Amino acid sequence: MANIGMGTGNVPESARAIASTKKDLIVCQACLCNTLYIDQNHGLPCCAEHGQLCCFARDHICIGEDTSKFATCSLLGLTCYPKFSCCQPLSHYYDAATHPAVKEKADYYPIFGYCMAGLCFQQPPVFQTIYLKTPTTCLSNDGICCCILHGDCAIPCDEGVPVACTLFYTGLLLYPKVACCTKAGDVFTVKEPLVGGPEIIHGAPRFSDLVEKHVFKKQPEPEESRGETADVA
């Protein structure tokens, strides 16, 4: 089992790295391992969050699409969407070849989840999934709120959350260097983007192939493998 707090002071600063999807966010406020950003280019989803509490984790989407998060319909480990099974890890339900972000959650076990309109869209526009996992920190949260605000925090700090300090909510960064209203990628180390599959998509929900074919009379386009993480507004 991994050590709780693996991202504390025992991990060098150089080992911390933010996700590549955060590199263009403007740092608004920061206090140790709690950072608030402004996303000038973001539209939907309205809210998209990933959180952890000891051995529990949660994915949540409200009105939109974020393919780094995964929808299931589950109750006490019994899952009927996206496929029927029981007490299996997330990698059993989603293929890493078409969902590369599942590699980072391969050992997450869905225990509860709900979703809405799952057959009408490529990803349900509203869902929540709760997992069991090996704990890596006591408490953390990372996600989008109110369309333009993006926050991350962790107690204790972990590798995906930077350590920084600003002067209140002014955007004046004091640590790790002095700057004002700067992009996160200019002050924090950025993690290499996922490779081996489609990019991570943020934006309005896309209709499923079933809807495109039978409602709009369109033929589904073949999927192409793309090697970088990108945002689609």
Side-chain angles (χ1 to χ4, degrees):
M1 178 177 292
N3 293 327
I4 297 178
M6 59 187 292
T8 58
N10 295 327
V11 176
E13 189 67 26
S14 59
R16 304 181 192 277
I18 62 172
S20 58
T21 51
K22 298 181 186 178
K23 64 182 181 180
D24 293 325
L25 304 183
I26 304 298
V27 179
C28 174
Q29 180 271 340
C31 181
L32 300 180
C33 294
N34 180 9
T35 307
L36 179 66
Y37 312 87
I38 294 177
D39 189 347
Q40 298 175 303
N41 302 315
H42 192 81
L44 293 176
C46 179
C47 295
E49 296 180 309
H50 174 73
Q52 295 186 52
L53 176 62
C54 296
C55 61
F56 295 96
R58 180 183 73 127
D59 279 340
H60 168 67
I61 288 283
C62 181
I63 311 176
E65 181 175 1
D66 180 344
T67 55
S68 69
K69 296 166 180 60
F70 300 93
T72 69
C73 287
S74 308
L75 181 62
L76 300 178
L78 181 64
T79 300
C80 61
Y81 174 89
K83 65 174 70 172
F84 187 83
S85 193
C86 184
C87 300
Q88 295 294 326
L90 192 61
S91 55
H92 174 78
Y93 302 103
Y94 288 92
D95 185 4
T98 54
H99 299 82
V102 80
K103 298 173 185 176
E104 298 184 351
K105 302 178 181 179
D107 61 343
Y108 283 38
Y109 287 78
I111 57 172
F112 173 79
Y114 66 84
C115 58
M116 298 176 60
L119 295 178
C120 298
F121 298 91
Q122 295 193 26
Q123 183 185 61
V126 178
F127 72 82
Q128 177 171 262
T129 303
I130 297 175
Y131 311 93
L132 276 176
K133 64 178 291 288
T134 301
T136 54
T137 190
C138 292
L139 176 67
S140 70
N141 193 72
D142 186 341
I144 301 160
C145 180
C146 300
C147 296
I148 64 169
L149 299 178
H150 191 121
D152 56 29
C153 66
I155 304 174
C157 298
D158 65 18
E159 297 91 343
V161 177
V163 177
C165 183
T166 63
L167 181 64
F168 304 110
Y169 288 85
T170 61
L172 179 59
L173 189 67
L174 305 177
Y175 179 86
K177 70 178 185 180
V178 177
C180 186
C181 299
T182 187
K183 292 184 177 181
D186 294 336
V187 292
F188 305 131
T189 303
V190 179
K191 187 187 301 182
E192 289 295 326
L194 294 168
V195 296
E199 77 272 14
I200 293 174
I201 295 172
H202 296 163
R206 297 168 297 164
F207 288 112
S208 66
D209 293 341
L210 183 67
V211 171
E212 293 282 5
K213 181 179 180 179
H214 295 286
V215 177
F216 299 108
K217 307 299 182 182
K218 296 180 180 179
Q219 294 299 321
E221 297 180 0
E223 292 190 5
E224 297 180 359
S225 178
R226 285 164 282 186
E228 293 187 356
T229 302
D231 289 343
V232 175

